[in-house]
C-alpha cells in the first residue's frame, strides 16, 4: 500500500456519509476463522471439504451430514472474537457514516463487535441457528449441537422429522429474496462501497459492487489477492484488513 493510495482512500472515507461495507471471509481470518480459497483456506487444504457446502450432497448423503455435524461442533466461530477490522466498522457506525454491512460471513462477529443488528445484512445466513429443510422450523444451533454431543450423529427435526442443517446458504440454495432486496437497496443508495476481504467471485453478493459503482459510488477494494472487480475500483489495497481498516477511519 503506497502513501498516495492510503491517503486517497482516507479522503474517500472522510467525505462519505452513506458508506456500505461488503465483507467476506478475509475480515474474519485475524479472528482465527480460516477463509475458503486463500493459500491456507479450508478448501485449498482439503478440496473434499467443499462437498459439505453443496446442498445436493448434504441432502443425498447421511455421511456428508454426519461429517457436517462433526465439523459444526468444532467450528472456530464458537470461540472467535472480533478483530480490529470489525471494530473499525463499529467506529464508522459510531461516527454516523455507515449505512449497512452486507456480509457474506456466517460467524456473527460484526454483531459481537457492536455493529447494530439493523445494519448487518447476513447474505449467507447464520451459523447460530438450525433450520429444517422440510418445515422451516428454526432453533438455536446449540440445542442441536447438544444432541450431537449426546450421540445423535444426524439429528432430525423434532417437529416433522426432516433434515436439519445450519441456517446458512449452501451452494445450490437460493438466497433469501428479502435479504437480497435489502442489500441491493443499500448498494444503490450508498456514496462509498467498501469491498473487504472478499474474492468477489460468489454471486449475487459480488454483483453488489457493480450496483454501487453503476449508481455512481466510488469503490474501495481491500483484499489480499486480486478480484474480478479491481478494474472498477477507485482504490485497491492489499494490506491486512486489521491494519488497513483502522487506518482508514482514524
Amino acid at each position: 500500500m503506497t502513501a498516495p493510495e492510503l491517503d486517497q482512500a482516507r479522503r474517500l472515507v472522510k467525505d462519505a456519509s452513506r458508506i456500505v461495507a461488503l465483507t467476506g471471509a478475509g475480515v474474519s481470518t485475524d479472528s482465527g476463522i480460516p477463509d475458503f480459497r486463500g493459500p491456507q483456506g479450508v478448501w485449498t487444504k482439503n478440496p473434499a471439504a467443499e462437498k459439505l457446502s453443496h446442498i445436493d450432497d448434504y441432502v443425498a448423503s447421511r455421511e456428508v451430514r454426519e461429517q457436517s455435524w462433526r465439523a459444526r461442533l468444532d467450528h472456530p466461530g464458537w470461540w472467535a472474537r472480533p478483530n480490529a477490522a470489525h471494530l473499525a466498522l463499529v467506529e464508522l457506525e459510531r461516527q454516523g457514516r455507515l449505512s449497512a454491512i452486507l456480509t457474506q460471513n456466517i460467524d456473527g462477529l460484526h454483531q459481537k463487535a457492536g455493529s447494530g443488528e439493523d445494519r448487518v445484512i447476513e447474505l449467507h445466513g447464520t451459523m447460530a441457528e438450525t433450520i429444517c429443510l422440510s418445515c422451516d422450523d428454526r432453533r438455536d444451533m446449540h440445542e442441536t449441537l447438544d444432541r450431537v454431543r449426546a450421540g445423535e450423529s444426524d439429528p432430525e427435526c423434532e417437529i416433522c422429522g426432516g433434515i436439519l442443517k445450519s441456517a446458512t446458504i449452501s451452494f445450490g440454495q437460493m438466497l433469501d429474496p428479502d435479504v437480497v432486496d435489502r442489500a441491493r437497496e443499500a448498494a444503490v443508495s450508498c456514496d462509498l462501497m467498501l469491498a473487504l476481504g472478499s474474492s468477489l467471485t460468489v454471486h449475487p453478493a459480488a454483483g453488489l459492487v457493480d450496483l454501487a459503482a453503476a449508481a455512481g459510488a466510488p469503490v474501495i477494494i481491500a483484499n489480499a489477492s486480486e478480484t474480478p472487480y479491481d478494474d472498477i475500483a477507485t482504490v485497491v489495497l492489499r494490506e491486512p484488513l486489521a491494519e488497513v481498516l483502522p487506518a482508514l477511519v482514524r
Side-chain angles (χ1 to χ4, degrees):
M1 174 173 57
T2 66
E5 288 173 328
L6 181 58
D7 288 344
Q8 184 181 14
R10 280 175 172 159
R11 286 195 298 272
L12 289 169
V13 171
K14 183 178 180 180
D15 292 343
S17 60
R18 299 185 310 280
I19 300 171
V20 166
L22 172 64
T23 66
V27 171
S28 294
T29 53
D30 281 333
S31 294
I33 300 177
D35 60 15
F36 297 102
R37 297 176 178 84
Q40 300 301 315
V42 175
W43 297 338
T44 305
K45 297 169 80 172
N46 180 16
E50 190 170 350
K51 285 188 68 175
L52 303 184
S53 296
H54 286 264
I55 189 64
D56 291 342
D57 293 318
Y58 189 87
V59 171
S61 171
R62 180 183 178 91
E63 181 181 357
V64 167
R65 295 196 297 275
E66 290 176 345
Q67 291 179 43
S68 296
W69 286 111
R70 288 195 296 270
R72 289 175 188 129
L73 284 173
D74 298 321
H75 194 288
W78 300 127
W79 303 278
R81 293 294 177 265
N83 62 59
H86 298 101
L87 296 175
L89 293 177
V90 174
E91 174 60 20
L92 275 181
E93 182 178 342
R94 188 195 67 78
Q95 295 172 9
R97 295 187 294 119
L98 182 73
S99 297
I101 298 173
L102 318 179
T103 187
Q104 297 171 274
N105 299 335
I106 62 171
D107 51 42
L109 287 178
H110 287 300
Q111 296 92 322
K112 289 179 183 177
S115 291
E117 295 276 351
D118 59 332
R119 294 183 193 268
V120 181
I121 300 174
E122 294 177 310
L123 296 165
H124 294 166
T126 175
M127 61 180 284
E129 295 180 344
T130 60
I131 189 167
C132 173
L133 296 180
S134 296
C135 72
D136 293 330
D137 181 62
R138 293 175 76 108
R139 303 284 178 97
D140 186 293
M141 172 62 80
H142 291 291
E143 292 182 19
T144 309
L145 292 182
D146 286 343
R147 294 168 58 190
V148 176
R149 293 187 187 96
E152 295 185 53
S153 59
D154 180 24
E156 298 178 344
C157 174
E158 294 184 318
I159 301 297
C160 73
I163 293 173
L164 293 180
K165 71 178 291 291
S166 61
T168 56
I169 304 298
S170 299
F171 288 115
Q173 282 187 297
M174 297 292 292
L175 271 63
D176 184 323
D178 292 336
V179 171
V180 174
D181 286 346
R182 286 182 62 206
R184 287 175 172 159
E185 182 178 342
V188 300
S189 61
C190 74
D191 60 3
L192 176 65
M193 167 69 78
L194 305 178
L196 309 171
S198 175
S199 63
L200 299 179
T201 57
V202 176
H203 288 266
L208 296 168
V209 175
D210 256 338
L211 286 178
V219 175
I220 297 174
I221 293 178
N223 193 56
S225 57
E226 293 182 358
T227 83
Y229 292 87
D230 288 356
D231 288 345
I232 70 170
T234 307
V235 182
V236 176
L237 306 171
R238 294 283 183 237
E239 279 63 27
L241 285 166
E243 297 176 13
V244 74
L245 265 187
L248 292 183
V249 304
R250 280 203 288 264

